[in-house]
Amino acid sequence: MTERTNLSICIICKNEVDRIVACLDAVSGLSDDVVVVDSGSTDGTVQKAEAWGARVFFNPWSGYGPQKRFSEDQARYDWILNLDADEVLTPGLRDEIRALMQSDPSLPAYRVRIMTIYPGKEWPRLWADFNNYVRLYDRRRVRFAESPVHDTVDTGPYPVGQLTGQVLHFSARSYEHIRQKLAAYTDLQSRTLRKRRWVIAVRLPFEYIFVFVRYYLARRHFTGGWDGIVSSHLAAESRFSRLIKMWRVAGAT
């Protein structure tokens, strides 16, 4: 009989007192090692996670990749399910991962569909867009990249599997929260990414409309009614703002 593969669950967070318990409850029974890495919460997130039974560590924020890698280093086991505190496993995905861990997984990494949930909603809209990221993996062979702005696992030459279950991504409490998160993210990108000023100048007149159409049509936000329009607008607004910030940085160097 094949021995069960042990799994650690790693979660990064900051000021998620209203959401951390839902994330933790969704992985209950899946692992005896739940690691929460906090980057300076002031709202009781740490106390909530500790009361739930997670092992909580503090690490100053240095970017997405470094924070994820720090969480990997704290794990007791080599197989890791890596989540953010605003993400909730569906029961189907939890059962799928449990079944996979009952055996010896045949691949070193597996992608998971992370479904976008509008603020105030509990379930994805019809034909909801999603990100398909590696979140379940063996850290001995693959790990999160060091990039401070890209939240991705570097799988190198290894083949990657696909899980059928979903993660529900409650990424924002409100649309104003989305705007604030996007502003902070574009600030970070503008300091990290580099483009020539002439490239930025060519893109600026078309950036907003191009991104709006891409989100509204290609990412199917047209199925979300008014929420879809607002979401597409905020995405386009933030990408336009990012170019403006990059223009200023390019001019200062």
Side-chain angles (χ1 to χ4, degrees), residues 184-234:
Y185 188 49
T186 55
D187 282 347
L188 178 61
Q189 287 180 316
S190 68
R191 295 193 299 269
T192 307
L193 305 177
R194 293 288 183 268
K195 290 188 182 298
R196 296 180 183 274
R197 287 193 115 194
W198 72 264
V199 174
I200 299 173
V202 169
R203 286 179 54 178
L204 267 175
F206 311 103
E207 189 76 358
Y208 178 92
I209 189 63
F210 174 79
V211 175
F212 182 93
V213 169
R214 180 156 61 89
Y215 272 74
Y216 193 68
L217 296 180
R219 297 199 177 185
R220 302 179 297 279
H221 281 281
F222 63 86
T223 67
W226 179 250
D227 289 302
I229 293 173
V230 175
S231 295
S232 300
H233 162 69
L234 290 175

Side-chain angles (χ1 to χ4, degrees), residues 114-131 166-171 175 178 212-232 235:
I114 302 174
M115 311 297 293
T116 302
I117 310 293
Y118 288 141
K121 301 297 191 293
E122 296 182 357
W123 199 251
R125 69 188 187 279
L126 178 66
W127 302 334
D129 65 316
F130 59 86
N131 292 307
Q166 302 170 342
V167 170
L168 305 181
H169 189 197
F170 298 91
S171 63
Y175 283 113
I178 292 177
F212 182 93
V213 169
R214 180 156 61 89
Y215 272 74
Y216 193 68
L217 296 180
R219 297 199 177 185
R220 302 179 297 279
H221 281 281
F222 63 86
T223 67
W226 179 250
D227 289 302
I229 293 173
V230 175
S231 295
S232 300

Side-chain angles (χ1 to χ4, degrees), residues 136-176:
L136 179 67
Y137 56 94
D138 182 349
R139 69 177 176 186
R140 292 168 295 187
R141 292 179 282 178
V142 306
R143 295 194 64 176
F144 267 84
E146 290 278 10
S147 170
V149 297
H150 294 124
D151 184 5
T152 55
V153 173
D154 182 2
T155 56
Y158 293 106
V160 177
Q162 177 70 59
L163 299 179
T164 59
Q166 302 170 342
V167 170
L168 305 181
H169 189 197
F170 298 91
S171 63
R173 301 172 178 91
S174 66
Y175 283 113
E176 181 55 33

